[in-house]
Amino acid sequence: MNITARDRLRLLGGASAALLGACGGGGGGGGTSAGQTAGTPVVPVTPTPPTPPTPAQTFVPAQGALRNAYLNDFKVGAAIQAAWIDEAGTDIDALKSQFNSISAEYEMKPDIIAPTEGVYDFTAADKIVDFAIANNMDIRGHTLLWHRTTPDYFLTGTKAEMKAKLEAYITAVLTHFKGRVTTWDVVNEVITDNGSEAQSPYRNSNWYQAVGSAEYIDWAFNAARAADPDVKLYINDYGTESTGKRNRLITVIDDLVARNIPLDGVGHQAHINVNTAASNVLQAVDAIDARFAGLENHITELDVSVYNDPGSCFNNQTGCAADYGTAIPASVIAAQAQLYRDVFTGLATRSSVTSVTLWGISDDRTWLNGYPVDRTNAPLLFDRSRAAKTAFRAVTDPTFEI
Ligand code: XIL
């Protein structure tokens, strides 16, 4: 807040009025005070009401400040929900104003599109895709296969039957969105977190167990390429900022590339926290660049949790960092802004990075308010009142001092 000389005078006036009030002086008239001559009309002294200090001006970003800052580098996306599109004055305003790419937070996952085998409902997904196209935005299709959103029917029957069901699903979805959705996360989170497990580098998921191997990954990529030769096909995962996970992912990509399985890019979810080193995120991109010429990198689900939780918090919800409530310390908000700045500016110098997506828009509607535990989180670029945060300014204005 800039306090002008005038403000200072006002504040002083307010202070003296308050003092007067406390001493019982200056009030309403009617009585006479000592020393006042009887018969002299009593002129009530009405103190100037204290002027509240000018509230800090809410920073209002210029239209397009975020997407324009990276226009020559990458698209800047956000995950949204179809229901938000009809709301007035909430996240959708920020979306239109600042972003040029969209992901569906859940409406393009198999349990929503085809909860029953062979019965497709594209209503919610179409709403998001139509909105993206009407507003000149890219759309990242997320996701054709994820162990957490696979309806049971996919995983029954013989291997040949499972393959046929996956192929039918992928063909139907890519045919429906042909020419409209140009990028798909074909498989999501197929890499294990535990390198000492027998099936490592693959996740011991419901898919892996039902099929008895990681062959379903091939089926998914091959079906996607057959259905749409122009669409960009991605493998997407979290934790690529840590070397173990990253190396297991690279092992899997090595194998896919060696066998000519169609793959165009690597999605790094980048669910990081204020204590993550930006260099670890950048090293994930560099590791892909160094090994696989021609593969693109997307940051697909970026958010910066204000909590640095131990593994146990994710595994069994114990030992999680204590809830700050809505009073997140200023030092944490500043550290978050610095990390966002370091990640964005670093990514901008890596030409293989063509898209950076935030997993949400404002802090009041982020999956991290409920994951790994119910807690007040603040991982995004807009706060709970939809004001642009320090982190927003950090990534859009290089002269802004955090
Ligand atoms: C999450 C959504 O944000 C939630 O709304 C939904 O209930 C579960 O999925 N990794 C992913 C995303 O790939 O699809 C997840 O999205 C977050 C973690």
Side-chain angles (χ1 to χ4, degrees):
M1 178 172 70
N2 287 328
I3 301 189
T4 61
R6 200 168 149 188
D7 290 328
R8 236 176 264 127
L9 283 173
R10 275 209 206 110
L11 283 168
L12 280 173
S16 51
L19 272 174
L20 279 172
C23 302
T32 53
S33 33
Q36 200 166 29
T37 318
T40 312
V42 176
V43 181
V45 180
T46 309
T48 316
T51 308
T54 318
Q57 288 288 306
T58 304
F59 169 77
V60 180
Q63 172 88 6
L66 179 58
R67 61 174 170 250
N68 291 341
Y70 300 95
L71 216 48
N72 298 323
D73 307 313
F74 45 71
K75 299 282 176 158
V76 185
I80 66 156
Q81 299 180 10
W84 301 356
I85 291 173
D86 295 327
E87 296 173 349
T90 64
D91 303 88
I92 220 69
D93 290 348
L95 178 71
K96 284 188 190 162
S97 160
Q98 301 300 332
F99 295 86
N100 53 14
S101 180
I102 298 181
S103 296
E105 194 173 350
Y106 62 84
E107 293 87 339
M108 295 171 87
K109 294 170 181 169
D111 59 337
I112 302 295
I113 288 183
T116 305
E117 185 177 352
V119 183
Y120 295 88
D121 182 357
F122 292 110
T123 317
D126 277 341
K127 190 167 182 158
I128 292 180
V129 173
D130 291 347
F131 175 87
I133 291 168
N135 289 281
N136 233 335
M137 297 176 175
D138 277 7
I139 173 119
R140 296 196 78 261
H142 175 82
T143 168
L144 296 172
L145 186 154
W146 185 26
H147 60 277
R148 280 179 58 188
T149 50
T150 294
D152 290 344
Y153 67 82
F154 276 99
L155 304 174
T156 59
T158 64
K159 218 165 123 171
E161 284 163 350
M162 287 187 270
K163 180 168 186 268
K165 281 184 275 195
L166 183 61
E167 287 171 349
Y169 175 78
I170 290 178
T171 306
V173 173
L174 265 64
T175 304
H176 179 82
F177 290 114
K178 206 171 210 157
R180 297 196 293 152
V181 177
T182 49
T183 300
W184 276 96
D185 290 331
V186 177
V187 295
N188 190 35
E189 303 184 358
V190 298
I191 310 298
T192 184
D193 290 326
N194 182 354
S196 58
E197 281 177 338
Q199 84 297 329
S200 177
Y202 301 105
R203 177 186 286 271
N204 189 16
S205 67
N206 47 5
W207 271 102
Y208 190 93
Q209 288 172 14
V211 174
S213 73
E215 227 180 303
Y216 68 93
I217 300 175
D218 299 3
W219 303 342
F221 279 104
N222 287 332
R225 175 56 75 239
D228 187 345
D230 299 321
V231 83
K232 300 253 182 171
L233 308 179
Y234 273 69
I235 184 170
N236 192 50
D237 220 310
Y238 63 87
T240 63
E241 52 282 353
S242 82
T243 48
K245 187 73 175 278
R246 182 193 305 156
N247 290 339
R248 289 190 286 280
L249 173 63
I250 286 174
T251 304
V252 170
I253 299 175
D254 264 338
D255 174 62
L256 295 173
V257 168
R259 292 183 299 108
N260 289 319
I261 302 295
L263 176 69
D264 299 297
V266 180
H268 307 262
Q269 291 186 6
H271 292 293
I272 56 177
N273 73 66
V274 281
N275 288 69
T276 306
S279 57
N280 289 343
V281 177
L282 304 173
Q283 279 160 16
V285 169
D286 293 342
I288 299 299
D289 286 346
R291 193 161 183 96
F292 308 106
L295 281 191
E296 289 180 358
N297 289 284
H298 282 183
I299 306 300
T300 55
E301 305 180 17
L302 177 62
D303 45 24
V304 179
S305 171
V306 296
Y307 302 106
N308 181 19
D309 293 309
S312 65
C313 180
F314 296 94
N315 295 336
N316 54 27
Q317 291 72 56
T318 59
C320 304
D323 193 347
Y324 286 126
T326 45
I328 315 264
S331 59
V332 173
I333 291 296
Q336 179 187 59
Q338 187 63 50
L339 177 52
Y340 262 114
R341 174 178 276 172
D342 293 346
V343 168
F344 267 73
T345 52
L347 293 172
T349 65
R350 275 121 174 125
S351 61
S352 67
V353 177
T354 53
S355 177
V356 176
T357 293
L358 280 290
W359 204 244
I361 296 174
S362 61
D363 286 340
D364 66 331
R365 294 202 287 199
T366 155
W367 72 302
L368 294 179
N369 288 327
Y371 177 85
V373 287
D374 286 343
R375 200 172 39 183
T376 311
N377 214 325
L380 296 167
L381 297 182
F382 292 86
D383 70 16
R384 282 157 194 274
S385 60
R386 270 95 188 179
K389 289 167 59 180
T390 311
F392 182 97
R393 304 180 74 170
V395 298
T396 52
D397 178 2
T399 67
F400 174 73
E401 287 179 28
I402 294 169

